[in-house]
Amino acid sequence: MTTLASIEDYLAITGKDPAAVDFDRVLRLLEMASSSVLAGAHGQQIISGPFTATVQPAAGVAHLPQRPVSAISSVIADGTAVASPGWRWEPGGHRRPARLIRRVDGHDAPWTCAELVVAGTAGWDPVPGQLVAAVVAMAHGVAENNGSPALASEGAGPFNASVVPGHVQAPNMALTDSTRAIIDDLCGVARGASVAIIREWP
């Protein structure tokens, strides 16, 4: 199973004594936390690896589904292989889309085909530290509380209650708001306006 953080990451971030760590349990928790992060990552594979995608160019530009892109190995336009250097790419990531742009005689040009099949490499190498730390925090929160939520006491006057703070990782591996914000910043794509905005000058 894919893990976005290693046992070594866990030990470095938590400062735990290796002798006091159940490595099999921690590894399983890291796998579960990684699965949760990947499920919320907008379809991104995160870890650098090969990808193949079929895309339809829009306005002459092909938007690739994985990002950041680090290499393009082949491009097939409507069933015909495009010879290198008949393209260039913009890697994307950090809320920017990855784009494949046609090159003709050393200049950018619009794709005129209906469909492209693109193969290449995309994802992060290494995995961003924010995501590694988030995965470790999720696993550590469950390990330290033996599967129960970390409680905080809140009260007003004579009334007190134990609650799960909103920023604390619950044992169900649900993503906290702060972890979602990290994933969105790294893996999401900013959306443009859905309608054209026309400014009328006086």
Side-chain angles (χ1 to χ4, degrees):
M1 182 178 289
T2 299
T3 56
L4 302 176
S6 66
I7 292 287
E8 290 75 16
D9 294 325
Y10 184 90
L11 295 174
I13 292 171
T14 64
K16 298 289 289 185
D17 180 352
V21 173
D22 180 342
F23 289 105
D24 289 339
R25 182 181 184 218
V26 167
L27 180 58
R28 181 69 183 115
L29 292 175
L30 290 172
E31 290 173 346
M32 294 170 66
S34 296
S35 177
S36 181
V37 168
L38 286 165
H42 309 283
Q44 300 304 290
Q45 62 193 36
I46 297 183
I47 295 175
S48 180
F51 78 95
T52 301
T54 300
V55 297
Q56 291 75 41
V61 176
H63 287 77
L64 301 174
Q66 292 293 326
R67 49 197 172 268
V69 172
S70 57
I72 298 294
S73 56
S74 70
V75 176
I76 299 173
D78 287 343
T80 301
V82 179
S84 178
W87 67 81
R88 70 174 179 87
W89 74 89
E90 296 174 353
H94 293 288
R95 301 200 64 77
R96 296 186 306 275
R99 306 194 311 164
L100 183 71
I101 299 168
R102 186 182 179 207
R103 297 283 285 173
V104 176
D105 296 328
H107 301 282
D108 289 351
W111 292 104
T112 57
C113 57
E115 184 176 271
L116 291 165
V117 178
V118 183
T121 302
W124 303 90
D125 184 16
V127 174
Q130 306 99 300
L131 289 181
V132 173
V135 168
V136 168
M138 293 170 74
H140 185 61
V142 174
E144 288 298 291
N145 294 289
N146 293 316
S148 299
L151 300 178
S153 179
E154 291 186 354
F159 302 101
N160 286 286
S162 293
V163 299
V164 180
H167 64 281
V168 173
Q169 179 60 51
N172 59 8
M173 295 291 181
L175 301 175
T176 63
D177 289 344
S178 60
T179 299
R180 285 190 183 279
I182 292 169
I183 294 171
D184 287 346
D185 182 57
L186 292 168
C187 301
V189 172
R191 301 294 182 187
S194 59
V195 295
I197 299 174
I198 301 175
R199 181 185 296 274
E200 296 183 1
W201 298 98

